[in-house]
């Protein structure tokens, strides 16, 4: 029996044909200290670090309203709160956090991606310096080595990283997120997910593996994110 269950907000964005339809069907909706405990082996994403923003934060991302989705997701974060972001990458979410956070910790397995993130302005007027932590978000041991024992957060954020972790890894990451969540806190997700529209879902299923291996950087865009969250013991609220 869980003593508390994280509340999850899901904003879905899928790769091109379904991303547009789902986003439209909704609302169309100072350098900081760079902390690196402990060392992890290099990852494929180290090689993407210098060009990652041009794809996931470039004109195509804006065309698909991904910037609108990020802003809508992070508008739920209240000033004065504590935030843990998993799979933070190059810090594409940083411009959308509110002013006056109590603390923000960005976690990623790629040291080079976090170096790019650390070169960007952190949220203004934060009470504590932003932390940049190298850790494997699917491993509770790795997360424990990066964060103090017992540290919990008002919000845990994850955008577009579950799709590269595989089914088991994604569930593990969500369980680790739940373990770091304060009672009454929220886990905020903006992820690729399998469409509820049958034709689009069939297209995703047919193309997901090929796309992941050919330019998709390992991202399987047909995961059932709602199912993953429920398997991790989380209650979907929106």
């Amino acid at each position: 029996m869980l003593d508390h269950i994280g509340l999850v907000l899901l904003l879905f964005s899928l790769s091109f044909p379904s991303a547009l339809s789902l986003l439209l069907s909704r609302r169309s909706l100072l350098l900081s200290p760079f902390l690196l405990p402990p060392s992890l082996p290099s990852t494929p994403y180290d090689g993407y670090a210098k060009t990652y923003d041009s794809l996931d934060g470039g004109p195509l991302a804006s065309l698909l309203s991904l910037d609108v989705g990020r802003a809508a997701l992070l508008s739920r974060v209240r000033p004065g709160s504590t935030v843990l972001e998993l799979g933070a990458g190059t810090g594409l979410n940083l411009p959308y956090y509110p002013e006056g956070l109590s603390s923000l910790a960005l976690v990623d397995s790629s040291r080079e991606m976090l170096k790019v993130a650390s070169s960007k302005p952190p949220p203004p007027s934060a009470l504590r310096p932003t932390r940049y932590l190298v850790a494997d978000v699917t491993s509770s041991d790795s997360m424990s080595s990066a964060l103090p024992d017992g540290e919990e957060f008002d919000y845990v954020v994850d955008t577009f990283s579950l799709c590269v972790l595989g089914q088991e890894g994604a569930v593990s990451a969500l369980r680790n997120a739940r373990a770091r969540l304060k009672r009454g806190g929220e886990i905020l997700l903006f992820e690729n997910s399998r469409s509820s529209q049958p034709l689009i879902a069939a297209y995703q299923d047919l193309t997901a593996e090929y796309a992941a291996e050919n330019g998709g950087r390992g991202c399987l865009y047909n995961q059932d994110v709602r199912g993953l969250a429920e398997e991790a013991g989380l209650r979907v609220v929106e």
Side-chain angles (χ1 to χ4, degrees), residues 15-201:
S15 85
F16 181 67
S18 43
L20 199 56
S21 63
L22 282 185
L23 285 169
L24 293 177
S25 71
R26 285 180 174 266
R27 290 184 294 273
S28 250
L29 306 163
L30 318 169
L31 295 175
S32 296
F34 188 37
L35 308 177
L36 296 173
S39 62
L40 286 175
S42 62
T43 74
Y45 274 80
D46 285 341
Y48 303 147
K50 292 182 179 180
T51 59
Y52 188 81
D53 283 8
S54 64
L55 176 62
D56 280 38
L60 179 59
S62 295
L63 177 65
L64 295 176
S65 296
L66 301 191
D67 49 351
V68 175
R70 291 179 193 274
L73 183 76
L74 296 177
S75 69
R76 293 183 66 97
V77 176
R78 297 178 180 178
S81 59
T82 56
V83 181
L84 171 65
E85 183 175 340
L86 304 182
T90 59
L92 287 172
N93 289 329
L94 284 171
Y96 305 106
Y97 282 110
E99 294 187 19
L101 290 179
S102 177
S103 70
L104 174 63
L106 305 184
V107 178
D108 200 278
S109 61
S110 169
R111 185 182 303 262
E112 296 304 315
M113 297 278 275
L114 284 178
K115 283 183 180 179
V116 176
S118 72
S119 71
K120 298 177 179 179
S125 304
L127 299 182
R128 294 176 57 190
T130 298
R131 288 175 287 170
Y132 303 86
L133 308 172
V134 176
D136 178 357
V137 299
T138 69
S139 166
S140 58
D141 289 342
S142 183
M143 290 291 290
S144 294
S145 69
L147 292 164
D149 288 344
E151 183 176 11
E152 294 181 331
F153 298 84
D154 298 305
Y155 300 94
V156 180
V157 174
D158 191 306
T159 61
F160 302 112
S161 78
L162 295 183
C163 66
V164 302
L165 301 178
Q167 174 94 9
E168 184 176 340
V171 171
S172 294
L174 289 172
R175 286 176 176 157
N176 289 332
R178 185 193 68 202
R180 290 289 177 170
L181 196 66
K182 291 181 180 178
R183 187 180 298 273
E186 289 187 334
I187 298 175
L188 307 180
L189 303 178
F190 188 25
E191 304 286 346
N192 291 291
S193 186
R194 193 173 188 272
S195 177
S196 60
Q197 301 179 33
L199 289 178
I200 294 175

